[in-house]
Amino acid sequence: MLELYGQTFSSRLLLGTALYPSPAIMADAIKAARSEIVTVSLRRETAGGKTGGQFWSLIQSIGVRVLPNTAGCHSVKEAVTTAQMAREVFATNWIKLEVIGNHDTLQPDVFGLVEAARILSEDGFEVFPYTTDDLVVAERLLEAGCKLLMPWCAPIGSARGPQNADALRSLRGHFPDVPLIVDAGIGRPSHAAAVMELGYDAVLLNTAVAKSGDPVAMAGAFAKAVKAGREAFLAGPLEPRDMAVPSTPVIGMAAFS
Amino acid sequence: MKALVKGAGVAGLTLAFELASRGADVTVIEKRHRLAGSASWAAGGMLAPWCERESAEEAVVTLGRLALDWWETVLPGHVVRTGTLVVAPARDTSELDRFARRTTGFTAIGEEAIAALEPDLAGRFRRGLFFANEAHLDPRRALLALKDRLVGMGVRFEFGYGAVRVPETVDIEADCTGVEASVPGLRGVRGEMLLLHAPDVSLARPVRLLHPRFPVYVVPRADHLFMVGATMIESDANEPVTARSMMELLGAAYALHPAFGEAEIVEAGVGVRPAFADNLPRIGREANRISINGLYRHGFLLAPAMARQAADMIFNSQRELADAAHH
């Protein structure tokens, strides 16, 4: 079971709710993924009006836990204000914290991230920080009050898959007891399986499903990959070797001539 | 047969036309004091079923195909059949591949063909997709002309129609009020658009600029006016355009052609599109009430097909009633 801030989940696939062809397809994709947690952007989905009305009630009707995010925030102040608004709108103290440092790569501003994480943790939030794979930043985030980490494996929406498996492995090695969720950069189910095989606790993705040719089918494919990766990790994958090793012993084999 | 159509957006006016041309006595009532202000008024006016397939269901293509001929027949001279050009900046050409995979009815073209179609875009894009069979119209001119046509056919209009007055007895009442209708499952999707006056830019057809974050289209209107649209926000807020959206729209227009940087911002408009969860339109029917709703971002494209279906339903059931009365 996946445990996040004291709550347990059987699904290790978290889905975003943006960019789908329609809310109906989104709902079907969430079901196909068997996700129990979905992220929702406060900025876009609830800008004024009857607070996103139907869209929000559709997400509620699916019966999943909502993880609001601060997508698109470029400063500590903006992220903190958005988080506080999200707490009111979605009635949860969970927050996926994004503080963007670079407009083109959507790379996290790790300095602002640590600062915002501290402010929000002290304010009673349970923070899910979207960070890079930097080890030192990870330590600072945990010091700031985060109980889990969400490193990227490639830039948001890039679909490039794990760019630095060694850094991901190193994070896993340094924080064996901290839930680690790969957030951003996953493009294909094989990418998700690869990070799960490294021992990551879960993956969070959006574009790879929402913008695929068939989001519902792709969500199902990701669910299988995440499960396969997790089971492979638990089973203990074979380490790579430099030499070929025959699977059938050669010595003592009958020789036919 | 007496019909009352509520709502003078594209859904209401097309239905009024289909009913009146079948001989019904039609009255259109509209809460606003004029045609301006509806979601249709803020529309792009693209008749682009093949492009829309990128994010829409196949039904949008099958229903939308009818629209080109419908508008041309009803309002001769309004439909400009110059196709659609889809381009992407060099670093986002994977968006072009994705668009091509999800659509049909285009020719993949290179730099020279782009320059031949749109001389002002010469040298700016190396690859594009040309959807030759698509068309566009100016939605505001079309709505005004359709209203005039309807008046000529004997359709009555009442604007500024408050809720206080009780409608006269009618045989059929049609609700085409978009997001203002109380239909279960209907939601609003906010769209923001800009109208730019750019004397230095000439375009012959709508151009879609693909971008992973801010895809936009630029639709040329008369006198170097360009409609730049449109944001898609899950909200029914009708408030003015936000700075963020305006920056996105302007940034994209500027990326298409730097001369848009010198344009005058003539208008920054907002419309709230009515949509159901599957983003497909629906006809609702209950006794002598009918509704057309959920046209989403495909008002001008899908309204003719929906209006025709609704009018068929109304006249078929009237005929059945008449037959039953005779027996």
Side-chain angles (χ1 to χ4, degrees), chain B residues 22-171:
Chain B
R22 285 164 166 80
D25 175 8
V26 184
T27 303
V28 178
I29 58 172
E30 166 60 51
K31 211 174 76 180
R32 293 183 183 81
H33 290 275
R34 54 190 74 84
L35 289 178
S38 65
S40 309
W41 198 254
M46 286 182 295
L47 305 174
W50 293 277
C51 274
E52 287 299 309
R53 184 69 180 91
E54 183 259 331
S55 60
E57 307 273 343
E58 184 64 26
V60 170
V61 182
T62 44
L63 294 171
R65 275 181 191 163
L66 171 76
L68 284 83
D69 288 336
W70 193 94
W71 287 106
E72 195 153 279
T73 310
V74 175
L75 301 176
H78 279 256
V79 177
V80 186
R81 290 180 180 256
T82 45
T84 305
L85 178 62
V86 180
V87 292
R91 67 175 200 178
D92 296 322
T93 48
S94 63
E95 294 296 312
L96 212 53
D97 297 331
R98 181 181 177 276
F99 199 97
R101 259 201 318 278
R102 297 186 55 88
T103 53
T104 56
F106 61 83
T107 322
I109 58 173
E111 210 166 352
E112 281 177 26
I114 293 173
L117 288 169
E118 297 291 355
D120 276 14
L121 299 183
R124 298 194 54 74
F125 301 95
R126 279 185 288 284
R127 289 174 55 206
L129 308 174
F130 180 47
F131 292 77
N133 296 326
E134 297 190 333
H136 66 284
L137 49 70
D138 180 333
R140 296 178 183 184
R141 286 183 50 212
L143 288 172
L144 290 165
L146 183 53
K147 184 193 159 233
D148 288 347
R149 174 97 204 259
L150 289 168
V151 169
M153 292 164 79
V155 174
R156 285 176 303 280
F157 279 83
E158 288 193 44
F159 284 90
Y161 196 94
V164 201
R165 284 184 55 186
V166 181
E168 57 180 304
T169 315
V170 289
D171 301 305

Side-chain angles (χ1 to χ4, degrees), chain A residues 72-132:
Chain A
C73 288
H74 284 254
S75 71
V76 173
K77 195 181 163 201
E78 209 184 348
V80 168
T81 309
T82 306
Q84 286 163 343
M85 281 164 64
R87 181 160 62 181
E88 299 305 315
V89 172
F90 300 107
T92 174
N93 57 353
W94 276 19
I95 189 75
K96 178 188 158 186
L97 182 62
E98 281 186 28
V99 183
I100 301 301
N102 182 287
H103 189 72
D104 266 4
T105 61
L106 298 180
Q107 183 158 348
D109 167 6
V110 294
F111 305 96
L113 182 68
V114 171
E115 194 186 333
R118 179 170 291 116
I119 295 169
L120 291 171
S121 297
E122 283 170 4
D123 192 13
F125 280 92
E126 294 176 334
V127 180
F128 292 59
Y130 161 61
T131 181
T132 64

Side-chain angles (χ1 to χ4, degrees), chain A residues 10 34 60 115 193 200 212 218 222 251 256:
Chain A
S10 51
R34 299 177 185 278
Q60 282 178 311
E115 194 186 333
Y200 274 70
S212 69
M218 190 58 88
F222 268 107
I251 298 169
F256 299 97

Side-chain angles (χ1 to χ4, degrees), chain A residues 130-142:
Chain A
Y130 161 61
T131 181
T132 64
D133 52 24
D134 189 288
L135 198 57
V136 182
V137 172
E139 279 171 359
R140 295 293 167 91
L141 285 168
L142 296 174

